Amino acid sequence: MTKLLCCALLTLASLPVFAMTDVDSVLHFTPTPFKGVDLNCEQDKHITPKRGDLILENYALMAANNGDRVALITIRNGANGQRIFNQEHIVAILGDCSRILPQAFELRLSGREQRSLQIYFGQQQQPILQLLGGN
């Protein structure tokens, strides 16, 4: 009887933890069928990535049910010297063909250095179809 009571109390004590977990904000990887494809969208052609020595080596897109859009990117400094890269060097093309910049970030890379990081595009109704780098 004591063991049963202890199990019941432990179960009840853990319920608030599960209730506080927001399943709509859990990120999951999304397919990237347009990676490496030239999309000829007509909207927002004026938003382009800033030219520079940033090389977007690879990326994986993530989304949550609440609309959060995130990308895990691997970038490389294509120059021999140190460079600073920020949100102006990467643009996302959304499902409605609009283009957006990620939230502010700044990354200092030594010559030819490569690094991976997560960047956030805010809450969007449309999925991210593709990322563009400024090289």
Side-chain angles (χ1 to χ4, degrees):
M1 180 70 172
T2 306
K3 287 183 182 180
L4 183 61
L5 183 60
C6 286
C7 287
L9 287 174
L10 284 174
T11 303
L12 288 174
S14 64
L15 284 179
V17 173
F18 294 119
M20 291 183 343
T21 303
D22 184 8
V23 294
D24 285 340
S25 64
V26 175
L27 290 171
H28 56 273
F29 285 99
T30 59
T32 54
F34 297 101
K35 190 186 258 187
V37 175
D38 284 334
L39 293 175
N40 294 314
C41 294
E42 294 182 13
Q43 291 183 316
D44 292 330
K45 286 285 188 184
H46 62 281
I47 299 176
T48 57
K50 182 178 179 181
R51 289 297 213 187
D53 296 314
L54 171 90
I55 298 170
L56 183 60
E57 292 284 349
N58 204 353
Y59 62 87
L61 302 174
M62 296 178 279
N65 291 340
N66 67 2
D68 283 343
R69 302 292 182 244
V70 176
L72 177 62
I73 62 171
T74 299
I75 58 175
R76 182 170 49 89
N77 179 0
N80 289 324
Q82 185 180 63
R83 298 288 188 270
I84 298 173
F85 301 108
N86 61 31
Q87 68 280 358
E88 295 176 358
H89 290 94
I90 296 176
V91 171
I93 300 176
L94 299 180
D96 64 355
C97 285
S98 62
R99 296 178 179 211
I100 60 170
L101 297 171
Q103 285 190 347
F105 75 91
E106 185 173 285
L107 184 63
R108 189 178 305 263
L109 295 175
S110 300
R112 305 290 179 200
E113 181 181 2
Q114 179 174 302
R115 206 175 303 169
S116 295
L117 69 145
Q118 189 175 4
I119 55 176
Y120 183 65
F121 288 92
Q123 288 191 342
Q124 307 294 327
Q125 289 185 350
Q126 298 292 324
I128 296 175
L129 300 180
Q130 188 178 74
L131 295 184
L132 303 175
N135 57 338

